[in-house]
Amino acid sequence: VWVDNSLYGSVVRIDSQTGYQTSRFDSGLVTINGQATGAQPAQTYCDFATNGNCPGRVAVDPNGDVWIVNRAFSKQGTLSKFSGNLAHCIDRNNNGIIDTSFDKNLDGIIDVTPAAGEYFGQNDECILTTIPIGPVNALPRGVAVDKRGKIWVSTFNDGKIYRYNPNEPVALEATVNVGGNPYSMATGGDYVFISKSGGPTTRVHITTLAVSSVPCPGTYGVVADPSGNVAWLGGYYSGTGVYKAD
């Protein structure tokens, strides 16, 4: 299980059978090969206004790799890719091994002090990439993986969703204007569904990019039926129930 900590800009991998922490990562790389990624300084406290990467939603792709959005309020939002398999990690320092976080003393908690040797921060070779999403203060919130393994990200402030090819180097393939303020995303069948705090619930075809909507009020979380015809959404601003969008 991959869990992020919004306040401290970290990501923790947990063994679902024992509850132990097995790894801990920064939520994004600030630079890659000397080039800035757009991410805010690592381990900066998130104040939900102007500081920190403020990681948010998480999705896992068919390769077991993990995608996490960094909201970075009022700054440049980003998307980070983490390897779920050592074989996918990158030996950036060419020392013949993969330098990555692990529970060295097997106590179930990753010790971040340098002497412990359990946490590698910006030098962790299983943080595969970090890329900017949309313009400054677009506020990426949703992330989802479709049945073809494509990665979808939504931006709250400008009402857009983006489709990426997950293969290195991760590349933008399409941009769709869906309006409103997208919160969460889920995929089902040939579609990606977008919940919004403002505007209707929207469905976008993953290949044709055709957009359709139903007038659900403000919603927050979303899951999609595998048929691609139905989504379930949690009420947000208007109502405390669950909505079914057909």
Side-chain angles (χ1 to χ4, degrees):
V1 177
W2 293 72
V3 182
D4 59 41
N5 185 322
S6 292
L7 292 181
Y8 297 100
S10 63
V11 179
V12 177
R13 186 171 61 185
I14 299 172
D15 186 310
S16 62
Q17 296 184 3
T18 65
Y20 285 1
Q21 297 178 12
T22 61
S23 305
R24 182 177 175 135
F25 308 93
D26 290 346
S27 67
L29 293 172
V30 178
T31 62
I32 299 176
N33 298 324
Q35 299 296 312
T37 64
Q40 297 305 297
Q43 304 161 44
T44 302
Y45 187 82
C46 173
D47 65 0
F48 297 95
T50 59
N51 293 320
N53 282 306
C54 311
R57 285 156 180 72
V58 181
V60 182
D61 71 21
N63 293 320
D65 295 329
V66 179
W67 302 80
I68 295 177
V69 290
N70 290 295
R71 293 166 292 178
F73 296 86
S74 80
K75 303 292 180 61
Q76 178 63 62
T78 57
L79 172 70
S80 291
K81 178 184 180 182
F82 300 79
S83 176
N85 186 324
L86 280 176
H88 301 166
C89 302
I90 304 169
D91 183 14
R92 292 190 178 95
N93 61 10
N94 298 307
N95 66 352
I97 61 174
I98 295 299
D99 299 311
T100 189
S101 177
F102 69 106
D103 186 12
K104 189 174 183 179
N105 64 5
L106 302 178
D107 68 349
I109 298 175
I110 300 300
D111 187 338
V112 299
T113 59
E118 296 187 344
Y119 170 70
F120 290 77
Q122 290 290 290
N123 296 316
D124 198 299
E125 295 177 335
C126 287
I127 310 175
L128 300 181
T129 195
T130 298
I131 60 173
I133 302 295
V136 170
N137 198 33
L139 195 55
R141 281 194 181 272
V143 60
V145 183
D146 71 25
K147 67 179 185 180
R148 301 182 304 155
K150 304 291 186 176
I151 312 303
W152 294 80
V153 181
S154 64
T155 45
F156 182 83
N157 282 341
D158 60 357
K160 290 183 171 60
I161 65 172
Y162 304 86
R163 188 183 74 199
Y164 291 88
N165 187 319
N167 299 323
E168 301 291 340
V170 177
L172 177 64
E173 292 185 333
T175 302
V176 183
N177 188 357
V178 295
N181 299 114
Y183 250 109
S184 301
M185 305 176 75
T187 58
D190 292 324
Y191 296 93
V192 57
F193 291 84
I194 305 100
S195 70
K196 303 175 188 175
S197 65
T201 293
T202 299
R203 181 180 78 165
V204 177
H205 196 283
I206 60 176
T207 55
T208 69
L209 308 180
V211 178
S212 56
S213 298
V214 292
C216 291
T219 55
Y220 201 107
V222 57
V223 293
D225 187 278
S227 68
N229 293 321
V230 171
W232 295 83
L233 306 104
Y236 187 28
Y237 287 119
S238 53
T240 58
V242 174
Y243 296 93
K244 179 183 179 183
D246 189 331

